[in-house]
Amino acid sequence: MQLGVNVPNFGPGTDPGVLRAWARTVEGLGFDLLMVSDHVAVTPDVAERYPEPFYEPFTALSWMAGITTRLRLGTTVLVLPYRHPLLVARMADNLQQLSGGRFVLGVGAGWARQEFDALGVPFAERGRLTDECLATLRSSWSARAGSTTPSVPVWVGGNSAAGIRRAVRFGDAWHPLRLSVPRMRSALAAHPVPGFAPRIALRLTGTPVDDPERPAGVGTLDQILDDLDRLRLLGAGTVVLDPYHGDPEETRRPEAARQALTAIATQRSASS
């Protein structure tokens, strides 16, 4: 099972130097994948948790592809209704070429109503638009089946039953965000998926978290390592660790997140 990291590409503490340091840290610690988030119009509902500067994911990942060597790069998640699907297909395909086949396209339907309004995209139609975008992506790439470019893996986010059905229909993996292990186990039992690549929290605590609804990745190092082991047994091909907890001021203080990642990487190295 591979491990990835969701790196903040937004917030008051983020700039090109910080993004460069994140890329080098994630690759240097031996993680397999670096992912970033997506917003286009940073409206008030978005800015509350993900304020400016917000680095556009395709642009940022193309730049990171040039300063890394083996690290896979991806989106968690690209909001598909925000862009024309043929544009997404072209950008994803180009990034796959430029990175030497290291790109993963994580996608979702989105949640920020004000951002949808700012972009002139009907919020109530986001599910249908996401399905149409995915169908167009698949059709566009199928038309290039003879290309030498590696195919782009598509991870479909969404914790609802509709999101899981979308992953089954269009995706290479289901990419749930910040659920507990029992909830993911239950969902997988009800809906067999083509692949499983969850994004979980990463919040180290000094004492065990005794809560049946504890999100995966929250707790002591032993609890988090046990979560990872249980996700592996559930069939996860990749687990993405998310050290950001919703306070934009965290982006000014990345040291705690990097210490937690170092602890995970050290234990992973010791057990391999």
Side-chain angles (χ1 to χ4, degrees):
M1 184 179 77
Q2 295 195 331
L3 290 182
V5 181
N6 183 32
V7 166
N9 56 318
F10 53 82
T14 300
D15 60 28
V18 169
L19 288 174
R20 182 186 295 108
W22 268 116
R24 290 176 174 168
T25 296
V26 172
E27 187 165 57
L29 287 173
F31 288 96
D32 306 288
L33 170 67
L34 180 154
M35 304 192 93
V36 296
S37 302
D38 177 42
H39 284 287
V40 175
V42 183
T43 47
D45 52 350
V46 174
E48 185 175 346
R49 291 173 59 91
Y50 311 107
E52 296 278 16
F54 202 111
Y55 291 85
E56 194 280 326
F58 282 107
T59 308
L61 292 174
S62 295
W63 177 67
M64 288 182 177
I67 59 175
T68 58
T69 56
R70 60 160 193 85
L71 200 61
R72 290 194 297 158
L73 304 161
T75 54
T76 178
V77 289
L78 193 82
V79 185
L80 274 185
Y82 289 170
R83 300 169 179 84
H84 194 286
L86 292 179
L87 176 61
V88 175
R90 176 59 61 90
M91 291 192 295
D93 191 58
N94 285 177
L95 185 46
Q96 185 73 320
Q97 294 178 44
L98 293 169
S99 67
R102 292 187 282 146
F103 182 55
V104 178
L105 181 64
V107 303
W111 58 269
R113 182 183 292 271
Q114 293 174 9
E115 188 174 23
F116 275 84
D117 291 344
L119 295 169
V121 180
F123 182 78
E125 298 294 318
R126 66 194 186 282
R128 178 185 62 80
L129 291 171
T130 298
D131 288 347
E132 291 178 358
C133 287
L134 282 165
T136 300
L137 289 177
R138 289 302 190 192
S139 175
S140 174
W141 290 333
S142 295
R144 305 180 60 257
S147 168
T148 58
T149 305
S151 59
V152 179
V154 177
W155 294 359
V156 179
N159 297 343
S160 66
I164 300 174
R165 288 194 297 270
R166 184 173 294 123
V168 172
R169 183 179 177 189
F170 296 108
D172 298 297
W174 177 44
H175 184 51
L177 309 181
R178 289 178 167 264
L179 294 179
S180 67
V181 172
R183 283 191 62 188
M184 287 186 275
R185 180 185 295 114
S186 176
L188 290 168
H191 304 275
V193 295
F196 179 41
R199 188 179 99 199
I200 67 173
L202 177 59
R203 186 196 289 270
L204 273 174
T205 62
T207 57
V209 177
D210 185 17
D211 181 348
E213 297 300 317
R214 177 182 66 87
V218 175
T220 63
L221 182 59
D222 285 343
Q223 284 183 302
I224 295 171
L225 293 173
D226 183 63
D227 288 338
L228 293 174
D229 192 50
R230 289 193 289 165
L231 291 171
R232 178 184 60 82
L233 294 173
L234 284 174
T238 304
V239 175
V240 180
L241 302 169
D242 186 355
Y244 179 68
H245 306 300
D247 179 3
E249 288 300 310
E250 293 176 40
T251 63
R252 301 185 192 271
R253 303 183 298 271
E255 295 79 12
R258 290 172 183 166
Q259 289 171 3
L261 290 168
T262 299
I264 297 293
T266 300
Q267 289 296 318
R268 183 190 191 197
S269 177
S271 63
S272 63

